[in-house]
Amino acid sequence: MATSESASLSKAVKQQYMALPQGDKVQAMYIWIDGTGEGLRCKTRTLDSEPKTIDDLPEWNFDGSSTYQSEGSNSDMYLIPAAMFRDPFRKDPNKLVLCQVLKYNRKPAETNLRLMCKKIMEMVENQVPWFGMEQEYTILGTDGHPFGWPSNGFPGPQGPYYCGVGADKAYGRDIVEAHYRACLYAGVQICGTNAEVMPAQWEFQVGPCEGINMGDHLWAARFILHRVCEDFGVVASFDPKPIPGNWNGAGCHTNFSTKEMREDGGLRAIEESIEKLGKRHRYHICAYDPKGGLDNARRLTGHHETSNIHEFSAGVANRGASIRIPRSVGQDKKGYFEDRRPSANCDPYAVTEAMIRTCLLSEVGEEPTEYSK
């Protein structure tokens, strides 16, 4: 398996420099979503003092023609700080700064879905919407081959790998542990992790997060994962079906509840939301991956613990359904439900906004999707 040349550089030598004092200065790494809607970019600037809130962080800019976000003749784009985390790579007092991107005319870039999502969340903040997202990913070599897989073949069939223990079952746990601790240090609301069904596939969970925080914390966790993998010389892939054939794909199951759903008798509100979701299946499929459903079409086949992309279904404890109601929720008559359709490479701002629009704002009507054309 191929690893990056950067991974072979001496980390001990680097540490000599990282241990040097930095005085009163602070390094702030600005992070943003590029024009693909999936890729992340970053660059660092020096601040004179440690920022305490987002308001202490200055706006910045970058060359959008090199990130698929503008033409070269008018390429300056604005970085607007939106969320701040501790930096687990440079450590305190340094910061990670998640940013929104605005175009030259101060309008949101095409892949800046946070702005509208925030407006929608503010409309329903009295209902206290909570989200929890289960981010699946696959560890690959720089040649695209799954980590730990035989170079000219396949590992044994699926079965022993989910939550597996042992060198022949868990591929890449060092990366998972490093990512988990880095997220905790940063202040990301990571709440768990486990090995997944396909070898070299893992999952981490973020939540519960209220409103816009869901998207902010998942994107921050993704960035940290990419940086951890960079240090190890491997690649984290969010492709929803990285290996064709009889192997599980990768999703981003999204758990959702409101204050009413979490209180006694909340099952009724859950069932009402599921009924609304069933009437807008195509709209949600379009919102649940960055290519309007094309990526998810490779994953949502009705096999490998997925529903069929063309059909909506719901059930208690059913992992082959579009919507799953956990068995404990069915028994307690309150709690939350899980939408199993979002792909691993979804934009959490798009997913959570779509759920609020349908479930709480009662929007109706379908929109054409790429996958069905």
Side-chain angles (χ1 to χ4, degrees), residues 237-242 248-251 289 295-296 298-299 343-345:
S237 170
F238 296 117
D239 189 293
K241 189 70 174 178
N248 273 37
D289 82 49
D295 279 345
N296 241 343
R298 294 184 284 120
R299 167 181 162 257
S343 66
N345 61 343

Side-chain angles (χ1 to χ4, degrees), residues 102-162:
L102 301 183
K103 296 187 285 190
Y104 71 94
N105 57 7
R106 307 290 293 186
K107 293 184 178 180
E110 283 72 16
T111 54
N112 176 6
L113 306 185
R114 185 183 189 276
L115 199 64
M116 180 54 70
C117 180
K118 190 170 188 297
K119 291 179 180 178
I120 294 297
M121 293 300 172
E122 289 171 349
M123 294 171 64
V124 298
E125 60 184 355
N126 63 317
Q127 299 189 55
V128 198
W130 286 2
F131 299 93
M133 300 186 81
E134 306 170 20
Q135 177 68 72
E136 294 179 334
Y137 64 96
T138 309
I139 302 173
L140 307 176
T142 53
D143 57 358
H145 195 70
F147 180 83
W149 285 34
S151 57
N152 294 311
F154 298 92
Q158 296 182 155
Y161 309 108
Y162 173 71

Side-chain angles (χ1 to χ4, degrees), residues 328-345:
S328 61
V329 173
Q331 294 170 346
D332 297 340
K333 309 297 183 186
K334 64 179 179 180
Y336 67 97
F337 66 87
E338 174 192 49
D339 192 331
R340 298 178 59 82
R341 294 172 294 175
S343 66
N345 61 343

